[in-house]
Amino acid sequence: MFRRPRTSKARATWLNVRLFLALCVCLATAAAARQQAVYRNPVIAGDFPDPTVVRVGEDYWAAVTTGGWAPHFALLRSRDLVNWESAGYVFREKPPWAKGDFWAPEMVTAFGRTFVFYTARRDEGPKRRGTLCIAAASAPEPLGPYTDHGALVCQIPELNNVGSIDPFFVRDEAGAPYIVWKADGNDAEPDVPTSIFAQRLSDDGTRFVGKRKEILRNTSPWERHVVEGSYILRRGEWFYHFYSGNACCGRSCDYALGVARARKLLGPWEKYSKNPILAANREWQCPGHGSIVTTPDGRDFLLYHSYRKRRETFNVGRETLLDEVVWGADGWPSINGGRGPSNVAPAPHGSGSPAAVSEFFDGFNRAAIGPEWQWPMASPPAVRVEVDRGGHLVLAPAGTSAPDEFAAAVVARRTTSGDYTATTLVDARGTMAGAHAGLSAYGWRERSLGISAGGGKIVVWRREGGDVRRVAVADAPASAMLYLRMKAEGGERYGFAYSANGREWTELGRPVDGGYIESARVALTAAGGAARFDWVKIVPVKEKAVGSGVWWDEVRPEAVSFVSLITRRPTPFGGER
């Protein structure tokens, strides 16, 4: 039995021992907390390509490519670069001059405002594809509202009139504003060099002045026919030009990121002999097109996109990752020690991993549809949210919608895995006679499939290009409410079922091949009139790595501390929380 010391000297020694032990416990706890302060990629799961990031006060703001989906250029906000929330969009409606392909936004604070320089295709009539242009928009603050200033440049005459993409704002060594952008030479037939140009901006940032100058082009074997996605950072006496090369997207991609440097913005530029500095590894493929932000403590972080290396990756799309840029004694940067994208890394602000991606549920009880929902910009639907009586979404084709038996009106949200179960409850009482209400895996109109109910029938349908097929048909149950369910497996097979009560399900047909759908969204659909939805739910399915007993999100033991190893647990979407 331990007895308290009786003499004053012994008591003092005893007290010092207690204080020492308490200090050890505090230091061990603090060390453990520091060890646990890690994040796991992706920091933004799902199809969020070409990210740009800027720090404004205590907040970080990001924007991403939205392509043919509306609204245009999703905005996200974070306090720590790890935990992101949807905040809105740059444009709710497309600028009048633009036709589509809203790519590669670049957000910057300049001229006393927030500017977004971006890529879009010019509207040159219904029978023409249109030319790619770079343009500018600005707002008093990052959330908007944004005023569009129109296109800065489109065709490049000296390169066979190819279009322009991937703008980036930078100031030269004298402080003059410039835009750096890519001439889209790889879009020409045959290919021409993909030159990167620089040109002086006006003092309000809305138009070009002077003449453009080529500062970089594809010359290295790893770049092949492409250099693009510029981000230029000034550090000391040098400008560092981070850029991406090779094929960016799809199953044949081979994207990577390199760097060049120069003492003056207009060159001459020296490409790094160890390029690319960020390339594929065991877990990730085709990383690139990033933007760098500096934290308050002076560290640089690259926010960029990459595909995961797993079977459904092209079904999910390009996800947003974060890695620190580390500067070597030779003045050149490295990322994750040249090992490719990281799985686990120290958190920039000491905040832990992003919140586990869990099931999604929308009961449509807000005044407007949430910012996570999008629709095909070529066929904007009529959307109304009825917040009374528990909330409902009323979805209908608009006057501009293309004729479609099953999906004339679409609202959709990104997925973060190719394995999930999506369920919706259709209110037949609020669905117009002759209308169809449905649930779909939707890439775009020619790459979609789903289940649809209307006219007394339930149909599983599949569209690939111009081929539209009814895969299975059944009589609909006589019920005021109808549950529809879609189960995705590996982003390649989709099973469909229906129920009158949500407990007893009837499978409709055999699983349908959907491997041809890239960057698939879970969509609610309507055709032939207004359809009424009570709610929608998406539940991820936990998956294991093919041929192993470990979760997809297991990481190399040497990559994490002992504390994080004993506290981690698998999560449904390939991360650990």
Side-chain angles (χ1 to χ4, degrees):
M1 181 177 177
F2 178 79
R3 298 180 180 276
R4 183 171 179 172
R6 295 180 178 180
T7 67
S8 59
K9 183 176 181 180
R11 283 197 298 271
T13 302
W14 176 75
L15 180 60
N16 288 336
V17 169
R18 290 187 65 186
L19 290 173
F20 175 75
L21 291 174
L23 177 62
C24 288
V25 170
C26 291
L27 290 174
T29 302
R34 285 195 298 271
Q35 285 179 307
Q36 285 182 301
V38 297
Y39 69 92
R40 289 159 176 86
N41 276 318
V43 292
I44 309 175
D47 188 36
F48 289 89
D50 305 332
T52 176
V53 61
V54 64
R55 180 163 61 91
V56 181
E58 296 182 347
D59 291 327
Y60 295 96
W61 289 86
V64 298
T65 283
T66 48
W69 291 93
H72 313 288
F73 300 128
L75 293 170
L76 301 102
R77 178 170 47 201
S78 174
R79 281 293 177 95
D80 57 16
L81 286 173
V82 173
N83 300 278
W84 292 89
E85 63 178 4
S86 296
Y89 293 87
V90 173
F91 299 129
R92 294 295 299 181
E93 297 180 357
K94 70 178 183 67
W97 68 270
K99 185 173 187 176
D101 289 341
F102 286 84
W103 299 341
E106 185 61 39
M107 180 179 283
V108 64
T109 53
F111 313 107
R113 294 171 65 82
T114 298
F115 267 76
V116 173
F117 297 96
Y118 66 94
T119 305
R121 199 174 290 278
R122 183 172 59 192
D123 191 346
E124 297 170 352
K127 295 184 179 181
R128 300 193 63 179
R129 187 183 181 194
T131 303
L132 286 166
C133 308
I134 59 170
S138 69
E141 57 184 10
L143 191 57
Y146 282 86
T147 299
D148 185 58
H149 303 298
L152 293 168
V153 63
C154 298
Q155 293 166 310
I156 307 297
E158 60 267 37
L159 291 176
N160 296 343
N161 287 320
V162 298
S164 300
I165 69 171
D166 295 357
F168 176 75
F169 174 87
V170 64
R171 292 186 182 274
D172 72 0
E173 58 277 7
Y178 276 77
I179 289 292
V180 172
W181 79 99
K182 170 200 172 184
D184 200 29
N186 57 297
D187 194 42
E189 295 182 2
D191 285 359
V192 298
T194 54
S195 302
I196 293 180
F197 287 99
Q199 189 167 351
R200 173 78 182 268
L201 264 181
S202 62
D203 289 336
D204 63 359
T206 63
R207 68 187 188 280
F208 277 145
V209 296
K211 295 181 178 181
R212 58 178 164 263
K213 179 182 178 181
E214 181 185 272
I215 62 171
L216 208 69
R217 69 163 57 186
N218 51 318
T219 57
S220 302
W222 74 270
E223 300 162 354
R224 294 189 65 192
H225 62 300
V226 174
V227 288
E228 63 184 20
S230 296
Y231 185 93
I232 299 178
L233 171 72
R234 193 169 191 195
R235 179 179 171 86
E237 296 181 355
W238 293 95
F239 288 96
Y240 289 88
H241 188 161
F242 295 81
Y243 65 96
S244 298
N246 217 320
C248 71
C249 320
R251 299 179 190 275
S252 61
C253 70
D254 201 11
Y255 219 36
L257 186 138
V259 65
R261 70 180 182 182
R263 294 190 182 275
K264 294 184 177 182
L265 178 63
L266 299 183
W269 287 89
E270 171 197 3
K271 292 182 179 179
Y272 190 26
S273 62
K274 296 182 181 179
N275 278 342
I277 62 171
L278 182 67
N281 58 19
R282 187 176 63 183
E283 294 87 9
W284 300 95
Q285 57 188 323
C286 309
H289 203 127
S291 181
I292 295 174
V293 67
T294 303
T295 57
D297 61 358
R299 290 180 295 158
D300 295 321
F301 283 84
L302 175 73
L303 196 70
Y304 62 100
H305 73 232
S306 184
Y307 290 108
R308 302 193 206 201
K309 274 192 177 176
R310 60 186 196 185
R311 60 178 179 168
E312 82 274 32
T313 189
F314 299 104
N315 181 267
V316 173
R318 294 169 289 170
E319 305 183 85
T320 296
L321 282 64
L322 180 74
D323 269 305
E324 186 172 1
V325 178
V326 177
W327 298 91
D330 61 356
W332 289 100
S334 66
I335 298 170
N336 194 27
R339 297 186 296 270
S342 68
N343 270 358
V344 178
H349 286 268
S351 303
S353 302
V357 181
S358 59
E359 72 176 48
F360 169 81
F361 179 86
D362 197 337
F364 304 115
N365 48 21
R366 293 177 290 184
I369 195 168
E372 64 275 6
W373 292 100
Q374 294 179 282
W375 50 88
M377 61 169 294
S379 299
V383 179
R384 185 175 78 254
V385 177
E386 298 176 346
V387 295
D388 58 335
R389 291 178 292 174
H392 293 85
L393 172 71
V394 180
L395 176 66
T400 57
S401 298
D404 194 302
E405 185 179 2
F406 304 113
V410 173
V411 290
R413 74 179 309 274
R414 299 169 179 87
T415 62
T416 55
S417 169
D419 295 271
Y420 58 85
T421 298
T423 310
T424 188
L425 179 57
V426 176
D427 185 350
R429 298 165 301 182
T431 298
M432 291 178 57
H436 287 75
L439 183 64
S440 170
Y442 198 97
W444 63 93
R445 188 170 183 266
E446 288 74 24
R447 297 288 186 271
S448 55
L449 53 80
I451 184 170
S452 184
K457 300 289 183 181
I458 302 177
V459 180
V460 172
W461 56 273
R462 182 182 187 275
R463 182 193 297 273
E464 185 174 2
D467 179 29
V468 184
R469 290 187 288 132
R470 292 180 173 227
V471 178
V473 183
D475 292 330
S479 173
M481 308 295 286
L482 181 65
Y483 296 80
L484 301 177
R485 187 178 72 190
M486 175 175 66
K487 286 187 176 181
E489 179 184 345
E492 296 177 351
R493 292 166 61 83
Y494 294 83
F496 298 93
Y498 62 92
S499 173
N501 55 26
R503 297 183 302 275
E504 300 165 336
W505 289 89
T506 301
E507 304 289 337
L508 185 54
R510 298 170 61 87
V512 182
D513 170 40
Y516 62 99
I517 305 175
E518 294 189 1
S519 303
R521 266 74 163 161
V522 172
L524 300 177
T525 62
R532 196 164 187 254
F533 298 88
D534 191 291
W535 50 260
V536 63
K537 179 171 65 174
I538 305 171
V539 180
V541 176
K542 291 181 180 180
E543 61 172 333
K544 292 185 178 181
V546 177
S548 76
V550 299
W551 297 97
W552 270 112
D553 58 337
E554 290 294 336
V555 298
R556 296 185 301 275
E558 67 268 23
V560 293
S561 67
F562 174 75
V563 173
S564 64
L565 280 170
I566 63 175
T567 58
R568 73 183 181 190
R569 62 183 187 274
T571 62
F573 284 108
E576 294 166 354
R577 308 291 177 256

CSV table of all heavy atoms in Angstrom, one decimal, residues 15-32 34:
chain,number,residue,atom,x,y,z
A,15,LEU,N,5.7,15.5,-4.6
A,15,LEU,CA,4.9,16.5,-5.4
A,15,LEU,C,5.6,16.7,-6.8
A,15,LEU,O,4.9,16.7,-7.8
A,15,LEU,CB,4.8,17.8,-4.7
A,15,LEU,CG,4.0,18.9,-5.4
A,15,LEU,CD1,2.6,18.5,-5.7
A,15,LEU,CD2,4.0,20.2,-4.6
A,16,ASN,N,6.9,16.8,-6.7
A,16,ASN,CA,7.7,17.0,-8.0
A,16,ASN,C,7.5,15.8,-8.9
A,16,ASN,O,7.4,15.9,-10.1
A,16,ASN,CB,9.1,17.2,-7.7
A,16,ASN,CG,9.4,18.6,-7.1
A,16,ASN,OD1,8.6,19.5,-7.3
A,16,ASN,ND2,10.5,18.7,-6.4
A,17,VAL,N,7.5,14.6,-8.3
A,17,VAL,CA,7.3,13.4,-9.1
A,17,VAL,C,5.9,13.4,-9.7
A,17,VAL,O,5.7,13.1,-10.9
A,17,VAL,CB,7.4,12.1,-8.2
A,17,VAL,CG1,7.0,10.8,-9.0
A,17,VAL,CG2,8.9,11.9,-7.8
A,18,ARG,N,4.9,13.8,-9.0
A,18,ARG,CA,3.5,13.9,-9.5
A,18,ARG,C,3.4,14.9,-10.7
A,18,ARG,O,2.8,14.6,-11.7
A,18,ARG,CB,2.5,14.2,-8.4
A,18,ARG,CG,2.3,13.1,-7.4
A,18,ARG,CD,1.2,13.5,-6.4
A,18,ARG,NE,-0.1,13.6,-7.1
A,18,ARG,CZ,-1.2,14.0,-6.6
A,18,ARG,NH1,-1.2,14.4,-5.3
A,18,ARG,NH2,-2.3,14.1,-7.2
A,19,LEU,N,4.1,16.0,-10.5
A,19,LEU,CA,4.1,17.1,-11.5
A,19,LEU,C,4.8,16.6,-12.8
A,19,LEU,O,4.3,16.8,-13.9
A,19,LEU,CB,4.7,18.3,-11.0
A,19,LEU,CG,3.9,19.1,-9.9
A,19,LEU,CD1,4.8,20.3,-9.4
A,19,LEU,CD2,2.6,19.7,-10.5
A,20,PHE,N,5.9,15.8,-12.5
A,20,PHE,CA,6.6,15.3,-13.7
A,20,PHE,C,5.8,14.3,-14.4
A,20,PHE,O,5.7,14.3,-15.7
A,20,PHE,CB,7.9,14.7,-13.2
A,20,PHE,CG,8.7,14.0,-14.3
A,20,PHE,CD1,9.4,14.7,-15.2
A,20,PHE,CD2,8.7,12.6,-14.4
A,20,PHE,CE1,10.1,14.1,-16.2
A,20,PHE,CE2,9.4,12.0,-15.4
A,20,PHE,CZ,10.1,12.7,-16.3
A,21,LEU,N,5.1,13.4,-13.7
A,21,LEU,CA,4.3,12.4,-14.4
A,21,LEU,C,3.1,13.1,-15.1
A,21,LEU,O,2.8,12.7,-16.2
A,21,LEU,CB,3.7,11.4,-13.3
A,21,LEU,CG,4.8,10.5,-12.7
A,21,LEU,CD1,4.2,9.6,-11.6
A,21,LEU,CD2,5.4,9.6,-13.8
A,22,ALA,N,2.5,14.1,-14.5
A,22,ALA,CA,1.4,14.8,-15.2
A,22,ALA,C,1.9,15.5,-16.4
A,22,ALA,O,1.2,15.5,-17.5
A,22,ALA,CB,0.8,15.8,-14.2
A,23,LEU,N,3.1,16.1,-16.4
A,23,LEU,CA,3.7,16.7,-17.6
A,23,LEU,C,3.9,15.7,-18.6
A,23,LEU,O,3.6,16.0,-19.8
A,23,LEU,CB,5.0,17.4,-17.2
A,23,LEU,CG,5.7,18.1,-18.4
A,23,LEU,CD1,4.8,19.2,-19.0
A,23,LEU,CD2,7.0,18.7,-17.9
A,24,CYS,N,4.4,14.5,-18.3
A,24,CYS,CA,4.6,13.5,-19.3
A,24,CYS,C,3.3,13.1,-19.9
A,24,CYS,O,3.3,12.8,-21.1
A,24,CYS,CB,5.3,12.3,-18.6
A,24,CYS,SG,7.0,12.5,-18.1
A,25,VAL,N,2.3,12.9,-19.1
A,25,VAL,CA,1.0,12.6,-19.7
A,25,VAL,C,0.5,13.6,-20.6
A,25,VAL,O,0.0,13.3,-21.7
A,25,VAL,CB,-0.1,12.3,-18.5
A,25,VAL,CG1,-1.5,12.2,-19.1
A,25,VAL,CG2,0.3,11.1,-17.7
A,26,CYS,N,0.6,14.9,-20.3
A,26,CYS,CA,0.2,16.0,-21.1
A,26,CYS,C,1.0,16.0,-22.4
A,26,CYS,O,0.4,16.2,-23.5
A,26,CYS,CB,0.4,17.4,-20.4
A,26,CYS,SG,-0.8,17.6,-19.1
A,27,LEU,N,2.3,15.8,-22.3
A,27,LEU,CA,3.1,15.8,-23.5
A,27,LEU,C,2.8,14.6,-24.4
A,27,LEU,O,2.7,14.8,-25.7
A,27,LEU,CB,4.6,15.8,-23.2
A,27,LEU,CG,5.2,17.1,-22.5
A,27,LEU,CD1,6.6,16.8,-22.1
A,27,LEU,CD2,5.1,18.2,-23.5
A,28,ALA,N,2.5,13.5,-23.8
A,28,ALA,CA,2.2,12.3,-24.6
A,28,ALA,C,0.8,12.5,-25.3
A,28,ALA,O,0.6,12.1,-26.4
A,28,ALA,CB,2.1,11.1,-23.7
A,29,THR,N,-0.1,13.1,-24.5
A,29,THR,CA,-1.4,13.4,-25.1
A,29,THR,C,-1.3,14.4,-26.3
A,29,THR,O,-1.9,14.2,-27.3
A,29,THR,CB,-2.4,14.0,-24.0
A,29,THR,OG1,-2.5,13.0,-23.0
A,29,THR,CG2,-3.8,14.2,-24.6
A,30,ALA,N,-0.5,15.4,-26.1
A,30,ALA,CA,-0.3,16.4,-27.2
A,30,ALA,C,0.3,15.8,-28.4
A,30,ALA,O,0.0,16.0,-29.5
A,30,ALA,CB,0.5,17.6,-26.7
A,31,ALA,N,1.3,14.9,-28.1
A,31,ALA,CA,2.0,14.2,-29.2
A,31,ALA,C,1.0,13.3,-29.9
A,31,ALA,O,1.0,13.2,-31.2
A,31,ALA,CB,3.2,13.4,-28.7
A,32,ALA,N,0.2,12.6,-29.2
A,32,ALA,CA,-0.8,11.7,-29.8
A,32,ALA,C,-1.7,12.5,-30.7
A,32,ALA,O,-2.1,12.1,-31.8
A,32,ALA,CB,-1.5,10.9,-28.7
A,34,ARG,N,-1.1,15.4,-32.1
A,34,ARG,CA,-0.4,15.8,-33.3
A,34,ARG,C,-0.3,14.7,-34.3
A,34,ARG,O,-0.5,14.8,-35.5
A,34,ARG,CB,1.0,16.3,-32.9
A,34,ARG,CG,0.9,17.7,-32.3
A,34,ARG,CD,2.3,18.3,-32.3
A,34,ARG,NE,3.3,17.5,-31.6
A,34,ARG,CZ,3.5,17.7,-30.3
A,34,ARG,NH1,2.8,18.6,-29.6
A,34,ARG,NH2,4.4,16.9,-29.6
